[in-house]
Amino acid sequence: MKGITIGPAGGHGLSRMQGTKVMVAGRSMILPNSEVPYVVQKLTMSQIASIPKDQFSVSLMDPSMPVMAIAGGRKGGGKSLAIRIRQRHQAGNKGVVGFITQDPSKMINVGIDSTKEFTALISLINQAAQKSDMLRGKYRALSRTVTETPPTESGIFYAPIDEDELSDCILKIIERYYGTSDSTKIMGTDFKLGEFCVLMHFYFIRIGIMEKKSRQPFSNYLTKKVFGDEERFTARSFNNYAKSYENIEKDLSDSKGVKFNFEIRPNPSGKPVYDAFHEIGYTFHHSHYFDELRKLRKQMNEFGF
């Protein structure tokens, strides 16, 4: 199998340079080396499982993947992401279970067809973190341009919000908190993915980027643009969590409600939902896409209309 490879940093886009060809269980794959630190190719999960995770990072780049497998760390220190993959039997068929988490001790199970091929970005660990995010974003953007029936705009956001760019921002933040799980701790308290999405919805309403504020259009947007019909997110669970927070919704979604300073991280207040809302707002406020929106707003304010 010949992989499409990506040349060294500073090069000009895709390169035809080869990495290191290896044979695994009778199948060939291309692994990166010092001259070609990034390789993109189609692999089965069993092939991906065989890649030495102490040397390489692996990211599954298909936009609606049930597993996003990322491993490795940053050169010079910092918290690393970890992936572990093992075999299991499920409903009589051999499958693969993928694990991803910011805490390597927290393992998440996801059943995958072992014969199916996925688009995998393999990187040398010391090149992995920043470039993997960048390249996966470019891959998602490219996939939206080549699909036969691209999703239509939902129309729920005010201009100049770009629904695709916002969806990439949302997905990156959700992966940071949840990996492939549907539960995580935010400010020391467990929150389900559906709860996160409800609090995110309140935050978007609060900062004034939503033209249509009701639950169903936002839930549809998440399903189509962010999760790609992944089973871990459903409109039903989203709606159920939203109903459970109705008594405090105005505190969070109304800018005249409880005061929050999203410039800084929250300190524990004894109100876990409020603290989680503050933390989620802080994370979006400091994301790359929201930085770009603030720059655009500043430019618009300087126009001499």
Side-chain angles (χ1 to χ4, degrees):
M1 179 189 303
K2 184 175 181 180
I4 301 173
T5 66
I6 299 179
H12 299 284
L14 297 179
S15 167
R16 292 293 179 182
M17 297 168 60
Q18 281 284 42
T20 302
K21 186 174 182 179
V22 298
M23 296 293 295
V24 178
R27 288 173 172 258
S28 64
M29 74 170 76
I30 306 297
L31 292 178
N33 54 37
S34 59
E35 295 182 351
V36 184
Y38 311 104
V39 176
V40 178
Q41 62 195 302
K42 291 282 189 179
L43 298 174
T44 65
M45 287 300 287
S46 59
Q47 288 178 291
I48 292 170
S50 70
I51 297 171
K53 304 306 182 300
D54 59 338
Q55 301 175 49
F56 303 100
S57 162
V58 183
S59 297
L60 301 187
M61 299 175 67
D62 300 270
S64 59
M65 280 300 305
V67 169
M68 191 61 67
I70 305 175
R74 296 183 182 88
K75 188 174 183 180
K79 182 177 285 188
S80 64
L81 300 179
I83 175 172
R84 299 181 185 178
I85 300 176
R86 63 179 172 83
Q87 297 283 337
R88 76 170 179 184
H89 289 274
Q90 182 178 26
N93 296 318
K94 180 176 284 190
V96 172
V97 182
F99 304 101
I100 172 175
T101 176
Q102 287 182 307
D103 177 1
S105 66
K106 183 180 179 183
M107 298 306 176
I108 312 302
N109 295 356
V110 182
I112 300 295
D113 179 358
S114 63
T115 63
K116 185 175 180 179
E117 289 189 329
F118 304 103
T119 305
L121 166 66
I122 308 170
S123 314
L124 293 177
I125 279 182
N126 62 0
Q127 303 275 352
Q130 185 175 359
K131 292 296 183 180
S132 291
D133 281 346
M134 180 192 72
L135 292 168
R136 189 181 59 191
K138 289 182 180 296
Y139 185 90
R140 278 172 56 87
L142 178 61
S143 69
R144 288 191 285 258
T145 65
V146 299
T147 182
E148 293 181 1
T149 56
T152 57
E153 295 293 293
S154 69
I156 64 174
F157 299 101
Y158 287 113
I161 299 298
D162 183 298
E163 294 190 6
D164 291 330
E165 290 190 33
L166 179 59
S167 73
D168 291 343
C169 174
I170 292 170
L171 183 60
K172 181 181 293 188
I173 288 173
I174 285 175
E175 286 173 357
R176 185 186 310 172
Y177 281 107
Y178 288 88
T180 57
S181 178
D182 66 352
S183 180
T184 195
K185 287 188 182 295
I186 302 178
M187 296 294 295
T189 300
D190 287 325
F191 284 89
K192 295 291 189 180
L193 178 60
E195 292 178 279
F196 179 97
C197 292
V198 170
L199 296 177
M200 172 175 61
H201 186 211
F202 292 165
Y203 173 70
F204 288 169
I205 294 172
R206 184 184 184 103
I207 63 175
I209 67 173
M210 301 207 67
E211 185 170 3
K212 298 178 182 178
K213 301 178 177 65
S214 57
R215 298 171 191 165
Q216 184 174 347
F218 185 68
S219 176
N220 291 342
Y221 166 78
L222 293 179
T223 299
K224 294 177 181 179
K225 292 273 191 175
V226 177
F227 294 105
D229 297 314
E230 281 189 60
E231 293 182 359
R232 65 175 179 155
F233 175 84
T234 66
R236 181 178 179 180
S237 64
F238 176 83
N239 196 52
N240 287 340
Y241 285 122
K243 287 180 179 178
S244 71
Y245 286 147
E246 282 179 341
N247 61 323
I248 61 170
E249 178 177 352
K250 287 296 183 183
D251 286 351
L252 305 180
S253 65
D254 191 335
S255 60
K256 296 180 181 178
V258 175
K259 300 301 180 184
F260 297 95
N261 181 2
F262 298 113
E263 291 278 353
I264 61 174
R265 288 205 114 103
N267 291 315
S269 67
K271 296 181 177 180
V273 176
Y274 289 72
D275 292 343
F277 174 77
H278 189 163
E279 170 71 11
I280 291 167
Y282 168 86
T283 303
F284 275 100
H285 183 84
H286 291 276
S287 67
H288 174 74
Y289 182 57
F290 277 62
D291 283 342
E292 292 300 312
L293 289 175
R294 281 190 291 275
K295 290 177 185 177
L296 180 59
R297 180 181 63 185
K298 182 179 179 181
Q299 291 171 348
M300 293 293 292
N301 289 338
E302 291 176 353
F303 286 169
F305 292 128

